[in-house]
Amino acid sequence: NKGKHKRMVITRNIQPVGRDIGFLPGDANDKMLPWIAPIIDNFQQGMKDADLIYFDGMRSRGQIEIAPLAFMRGRTLNDAFIILDEAQNTTSSQMKMFLTRFGFNSKVIITGDITQIDLDKNIKSGLIEANSLLNNIEGIEFVNFNGDDVVRHPLVKDIIEAYK
């Protein structure tokens, strides 16, 4: 809305919880919608009706792009606000590939919960590795949240604590 970036790119690794969900119909955008729905839900939660119309318009004009992480290879994302969601489920090579995609006048936000990794036990999370490799680089900041930061139902905080 402030015009700092020409577009928003939302991506994530497609890593099902438990067993594979099988074939999804439609084009790449249609296939990504179930995976990106949580991000869209969060955007819409804080928006008024007029903002939702604006958001939907930006999506239809391609100013908000939804792309599978696998489709990011080879791209350079200039003038973009980029969100990688569920990054705890990226591999080391996927994270490195993603981190080398952003270009000039771009901002990258990476979200993930290392307590909810769905990768095979023998695969190291790219988010955990990135934290250990990049946490001392100027311009990169890691923000860690805990149960006090939960903005869902109050029981969610108790559930998080119980699973610790």
Side-chain angles (χ1 to χ4, degrees):
N1 282 344
K2 294 181 181 178
K4 290 183 179 182
H5 307 285
K6 291 182 181 173
R7 62 186 167 149
M8 177 184 294
V9 179
I10 304 169
T11 188
R12 70 183 285 184
N13 187 28
I14 299 174
Q15 181 69 37
V17 178
R19 57 179 231 265
D20 192 353
I21 62 171
F23 175 78
L24 293 173
D27 63 15
N29 201 28
D30 294 332
K31 292 175 191 305
M32 281 301 293
L33 284 176
W35 303 100
I36 300 298
I39 294 174
I40 293 171
D41 290 346
N42 287 331
F43 274 110
Q44 292 175 340
Q45 186 176 12
M47 293 181 174
K48 298 176 181 142
D49 288 341
D51 293 330
L52 288 173
I53 293 168
Y54 183 72
F55 181 83
D56 290 339
M58 289 179 69
R59 284 183 59 207
S60 66
R61 289 189 302 277
Q63 291 172 292
I64 296 176
E65 175 187 350
I66 298 170
L69 183 61
F71 292 4
M72 300 298 279
R73 183 167 301 285
R75 297 183 69 183
T76 301
L77 301 170
N78 291 315
D79 297 311
F81 185 87
I82 309 156
I83 299 171
L84 169 58
D85 188 41
E86 296 287 328
Q88 76 274 9
N89 291 321
T90 61
T91 64
S92 296
S93 61
Q94 288 172 323
M95 181 61 80
K96 180 181 177 187
M97 178 273 300
F98 173 77
L99 289 170
T100 58
R101 300 302 93 198
F102 69 94
F104 296 102
N105 192 37
S106 289
K107 182 169 191 144
V108 176
I109 304 294
I110 300 173
T111 67
D113 183 344
I114 61 170
T115 68
Q116 296 187 22
I117 296 172
D118 298 314
L119 298 169
D120 291 336
K121 299 285 184 215
N122 60 343
I123 299 175
K124 185 174 184 177
S125 167
L127 180 60
I128 292 174
E129 182 180 62
N131 191 350
S132 67
L133 292 174
L134 307 176
N135 64 7
N136 291 320
I137 296 178
E138 187 174 334
I140 296 177
E141 183 177 343
F142 288 86
V143 178
N144 296 298
F145 297 105
N146 61 38
D148 294 334
D149 299 302
V150 171
V151 292
R152 295 182 177 153
H153 192 283
L155 284 174
V156 173
K157 180 178 177 180
D158 296 334
I159 292 167
I160 290 170
E161 292 301 318
Y163 270 90
K164 282 185 178 178

